[in-house]
Amino acid sequence: HKDGHMIPYYVTAKQFERGDEHFIVGSCINLSDIKEAKFELQQNRQLMDAIINQTNAIIYVKDEKGRLRLVNASYLDLLNVNRNEVIGKTDRELFGDEFASYVEPADQKVRETGETTEIEEGIPIEGEIRHYHTIKYPLEGVPGFENSMCGISTEITEKKKVLQQLK
């Protein structure tokens, strides 16, 4: 550019002859908009990753059959599992009937009604019941995630203990 900044272009050229004359024909495509769009997409992905993984809340997405499609870092840390072990599996497959019996009823309600629900869940983890305030809601308008639901759970175990002591 005349002001000195570089403009990315995709350039193609072809040489050909016609009679005794030599020609070059080519085309150029300005890639500035594409590069800017890729940068914005990368920024958005990094932002969403930071929002999902830099919270203490447990965040997960389940499909219509209850299979986990997304889990955040807090989910993995809490349950001491890695992403490859859980993606595509149900709570029942991963943690057994007792655990599934705590979470499946609310999941089913969201799937059946299509409405957001807020509940308190007591979940057995490492031999104790931990309490969570959970919001579960259907995902809408996300291609490939039709009939999926998202859950966001915040631990309230210590608050419950303090309330019990106050009573």
Side-chain angles (χ1 to χ4, degrees):
H1 193 270
K2 64 183 175 183
D3 69 6
H5 79 273
M6 301 294 287
I7 300 174
Y9 275 92
Y10 176 75
V11 179
T12 61
K14 182 78 174 168
Q15 176 184 334
F16 67 95
E17 297 175 16
R18 188 166 286 179
D20 290 340
E21 295 186 76
H22 295 276
F23 297 92
I24 295 177
V25 66
S27 66
C28 299
I29 301 172
N30 184 333
L31 299 177
S32 297
D33 291 342
I34 293 170
K35 287 187 85 74
E36 187 175 323
K38 281 183 178 180
F39 178 74
E40 286 179 23
L41 180 61
Q42 182 181 16
Q43 271 189 314
N44 285 338
R45 284 183 178 161
Q46 288 175 340
L47 176 61
M48 294 310 298
D49 185 65
I51 290 168
I52 290 169
N53 288 303
Q54 292 179 15
T55 179
N56 291 330
I58 308 302
I59 300 175
Y60 51 89
V61 172
K62 297 177 185 176
D63 68 15
E64 69 277 0
K65 294 181 180 173
R67 296 177 299 216
L68 289 161
R69 297 281 307 273
L70 175 144
V71 294
N72 73 340
S74 292
Y75 181 103
L76 299 172
D77 291 344
L78 174 70
L79 298 171
N80 196 26
V81 293
N82 70 52
R83 198 170 312 280
N84 295 334
E85 291 175 310
V86 299
I87 298 300
K89 301 225 171 101
T90 65
D91 291 324
R92 192 169 298 280
E93 291 172 313
L94 290 168
F95 309 113
D97 293 337
E98 181 183 12
F99 183 93
S101 71
Y102 283 93
V103 298
E104 285 178 349
D107 292 359
Q108 190 62 29
K109 180 180 176 188
V110 171
R111 279 193 211 81
E112 288 174 0
T113 66
E115 296 177 1
T116 298
T117 185
E118 286 190 48
I119 57 170
E120 184 178 306
E121 293 178 305
I123 300 174
I125 298 173
E126 297 176 354
E128 70 172 306
I129 299 294
R130 293 193 189 175
H131 297 273
Y132 291 85
H133 176 260
T134 299
I135 300 170
K136 296 183 181 191
Y137 57 94
L139 289 179
E140 297 175 0
V142 183
F145 287 87
E146 295 82 3
N147 303 314
S148 293
M149 57 149 290
C150 181
I152 302 174
S153 302
T154 304
E155 187 168 8
I156 58 170
T157 304
E158 290 305 314
K159 289 179 184 175
K160 294 257 320 166
K161 287 178 182 177
V162 168
L163 286 173
Q164 290 292 346
Q165 289 173 352
L166 289 174
K167 287 183 180 180

